[in-house]
Amino acid sequence: MGRGFNEEENQPGRDAVAVITYSLWQRRFGADRNVINKPVMTNGIVRTVIGVLPEGFNFPKGSEIYAPLPTHA
């Protein structure tokens, strides 16, 4: 549901988005189908949920919130 990261979100200052796991979506958001564009905090940073991963995705093991890694040219 939703989408993955795009190239622009790998830029410093444009990386305040997140993709969450299916299990976190179920547990924390009550499987709300309107979770896209809702805030989630990770490492003290508020990010906007842009996608939910398929059920069973678990890499690396135990991760629940994924954020882009800004690249520096």
Side-chain angles (χ1 to χ4, degrees), residues 1 11 13-14 17-18 21 23-24 29 32 38 46 54 59 67-68:
M1 180 169 47
Q11 303 302 314
R14 303 209 48 207
V17 293
T21 60
S23 61
L24 182 65
F29 294 96
D32 180 2
K38 293 209 176 178
V46 176
F59 182 81

Side-chain angles (χ1 to χ4, degrees), residues 7 9-11 15 27 33 43 47 58 61-62:
E7 190 172 325
E9 291 160 344
N10 287 327
Q11 303 302 314
D15 60 338
R27 191 176 66 254
R33 296 199 62 74
N43 297 328
R47 299 181 182 275
N58 190 20
K61 188 172 179 73

